[in-house]
Amino acid sequence: MLDIIKWLNTNIIWGIPMLILMLGTGIFLTIRTRGMIFTRFGTVMGNTLKTIFKKKETEEHGTITPFQAVCTALAATVGTGNIVGIAIAISIGGPGAIFWMWVCAVLGMVTKFCETTLAVAYREKNEKGRYVGGPMYYISKALGWKKTAVAFCAFAVLASFGVGNMVQANAVSGSLDTMFHVPTYATGIVLAALVGLVIIGGIKRISGVAEFLVPFMAGMYIIAAVIVLIINAAKIPAALAMIVTDAFTGTSMIGGFAGSTMLYAARIGVARGVFTNEAGLGSAPIAHASADTDHPARQGCWGAFEVFFDTIVMCTVTALVVITSGLWHDESMDGNAISLAAFQNVIPGGGHIVSVGIALFAFATIIAWYYYAEKALEYIAGFKVVFFYRVIFVIFVFVGCVVEVDIVWELADLFNGMMAIPNLIALIALSPTIVKLAQDFFADPKTIRPKGNTFSEMLQLKDKK
């Protein structure tokens, strides 16, 4: 089964067609929006970084603050992909994979801005009075593709067991076993119990936990990584040069490393880039759709910031730590071991810091992805099936702690790709609406629009039938 899944990922799901679709969509949307995310980068940062600590009361029932929304989305993206995933990308795709991850992130900032904007624009209130949205809503409401929307939701539910559950749980159990010798089954029991306690509280509790965990764990990890890079400062120029040159030449045999071609490095870089920042995947907009915001494009700025912080900042510092360690070409070590050793060899106790960081990252990712899948399942079948899914999801947290990591990562890539395809096609089809919303916002970003504005004059609504 592992061989079959690997073949599908290599030749179909993450082959040349996906590279063209993923990068091509980013380029197309950048051109259509005239690169507003970059030409108005100061405005984007002003609507994100400068407002992080601003207190805001939410009046709408069931909504969360824009910062809580981005923390929930970051909880899903800033996870093991930023630590273990980067080590795996470098070890199998070479340092050049990081260059393509950067390319994916730059274009992904535009893609995430667009999908977040659409998610807020086409959101609606469910029977509990809470805002819900995401690709399934703009695919069905704007394009009339009801079956495609259902397919996206089905892929999202399946992906939640891989990228948002077992991958994360596996990383937690592996790191705690390596550094603290905690049995994987014991980690599975405790982690499953904690996840169950949080997800039962819904988006309010999930976003509250994310709002606390994301800044804390990101700050702790970045400080440790910066210390390592200061000590290894002399090796950083060579590491950066290697990232750029290997992106176009591939990596020749070094130690036990078998080597990679430029195309393979690009495939790994894009796949891991999407895994870490989820741009184009359509998952994060589900969280952003719950935000209390006056304009869809204002929340779209948070989407762009999310990719910038996740990949350009977090993934880059991890990549430099791994490459300067020289451990990335050691075939005897997996992604977990490489990440832990890269810190442990430089900072006494550094491996323990990373191990705790992985556990916190993964826990946050699991609870955020549960919410994504819950909303997808709610779209398909309503509230009646949510309880059963919740039980199954918690069980799979335990399963993820004790299974082999290879098949888990491959399944994650498989379902990620299956989610991305309908979402990317929808973004291309709805690009005229995106342009209208972006132009309207950036023409007057300081003005707060009236609540309840549906922006109906800019939306391309079709009959749901």
Side-chain angles (χ1 to χ4, degrees), residues 183-208:
T184 55
Y185 71 86
T187 299
I189 293 172
V190 175
L191 187 61
L194 291 174
V195 169
L197 288 173
V198 173
I199 64 178
I200 198 172
I203 184 59
K204 286 288 188 178
R205 186 178 299 175
I206 291 172
S207 63

Side-chain angles (χ1 to χ4, degrees), residues 61-402:
H61 172 65
T63 61
I64 57 179
T65 67
F67 182 57
Q68 285 178 322
V70 80
C71 280
T72 303
L74 277 172
T77 56
V78 180
T80 57
N82 299 82
I83 305 176
V84 181
I86 297 301
I88 291 175
I90 296 171
S91 64
I92 64 177
I98 303 303
F99 176 86
W100 295 109
M101 190 177 293
W102 288 341
V103 173
C104 182
V106 170
L107 296 175
M109 288 177 64
V110 180
T111 304
K112 183 67 74 73
F113 168 84
C114 294
E115 60 185 352
T116 299
T117 299
L118 287 178
V120 175
Y122 288 99
R123 68 184 179 180
E124 59 186 44
K125 286 188 177 181
N126 62 15
E127 60 188 67
K128 292 185 177 181
R130 296 170 181 168
Y131 277 125
V132 290
M136 55 279 204
Y137 289 92
Y138 55 75
I139 288 173
S140 61
K141 293 174 69 174
L143 299 173
W145 301 347
K146 180 69 176 180
K147 292 182 180 179
T148 304
V150 172
F152 170 85
C153 289
F155 296 149
V157 173
L158 290 172
S160 72
F161 290 110
V163 62
N165 188 321
M166 290 190 290
V167 164
Q168 311 301 328
N170 192 279
V172 174
S173 63
S175 62
L176 294 181
D177 182 31
T178 300
M179 295 307 302
F180 302 104
H181 307 294
V182 178
T184 55
Y185 71 86
T187 299
I189 293 172
V190 175
L191 187 61
L194 291 174
V195 169
L197 288 173
V198 173
I199 64 178
I200 198 172
I203 184 59
K204 286 288 188 178
R205 186 178 299 175
I206 291 172
S207 63
V209 172
E211 186 179 27
F212 169 75
L213 276 182
V214 169
F216 171 74
M217 65 189 185
M220 179 185 70
Y221 179 75
I222 289 177
I223 289 172
V226 168
I227 292 173
V228 173
L229 293 179
I230 290 174
I231 295 173
N232 289 338
K235 300 178 182 179
I236 292 178
L240 291 172
M242 192 180 297
I243 289 173
V244 176
T245 56
D246 285 1
F248 302 97
T249 61
T251 304
S252 58
M253 184 174 289
I254 303 176
F257 184 70
S260 69
T261 63
M262 171 183 164
L263 180 60
Y264 188 67
R267 187 185 79 80
I268 295 299
V270 173
R272 285 287 167 260
V274 173
F275 183 87
T276 58
N277 61 50
E278 298 180 13
L281 208 60
S283 51
I286 298 175
H288 286 285
S290 297
D292 178 30
T293 184
D294 70 304
H295 197 290
R298 193 182 302 280
Q299 194 63 30
C301 292
W302 282 104
F305 169 79
E306 179 188 325
V307 177
F308 176 81
F309 179 77
D310 177 87
T311 306
I312 302 300
V313 177
M314 294 288 289
C315 289
T316 298
V317 296
T318 300
L320 291 175
V321 168
V322 170
I323 296 173
T324 56
S325 73
L327 299 171
W328 56 273
H329 50 73
D330 188 341
E331 282 191 331
S332 66
M333 304 175 72
D334 61 14
N336 245 325
I338 292 174
S339 300
L340 294 173
F343 281 83
Q344 184 68 27
N345 291 349
V346 178
I347 306 175
H352 294 80
I353 295 175
V354 175
S355 182
V356 172
I358 289 175
L360 293 176
F361 283 148
F363 177 71
T365 299
I366 291 171
I367 61 175
W369 260 94
Y370 165 79
Y371 177 73
Y372 296 162
E374 180 191 283
K375 295 299 107 181
L377 200 59
E378 178 186 317
Y379 180 86
I380 297 174
F383 288 103
K384 58 182 178 292
V385 298
V386 169
F387 174 77
F388 299 101
Y389 169 74
R390 185 177 296 163
V391 173
I392 296 171
F393 188 85
V394 170
I395 291 173
F396 267 82
V397 172
F398 175 81
V399 173
C401 288
V402 297

Side-chain angles (χ1 to χ4, degrees), residues 406-459:
D406 287 347
I407 193 169
V408 176
W409 280 100
E410 291 295 335
L411 282 170
D413 282 345
L414 176 68
F415 294 134
N416 272 1
M418 292 171 71
M419 277 183 70
I421 293 171
N423 182 53
L424 292 170
I425 294 173
L427 292 178
I428 294 172
L430 291 172
S431 60
T433 303
I434 295 169
V435 171
K436 290 178 183 177
L437 289 167
Q439 289 176 339
D440 180 71
F441 171 72
F442 283 109
D444 190 14
K446 293 183 179 180
T447 297
I448 303 299
R449 278 72 169 182
K451 284 197 174 187
N453 188 349
T454 61
F455 300 91
S456 57
E457 71 280 4
M458 301 179 196
L459 306 184

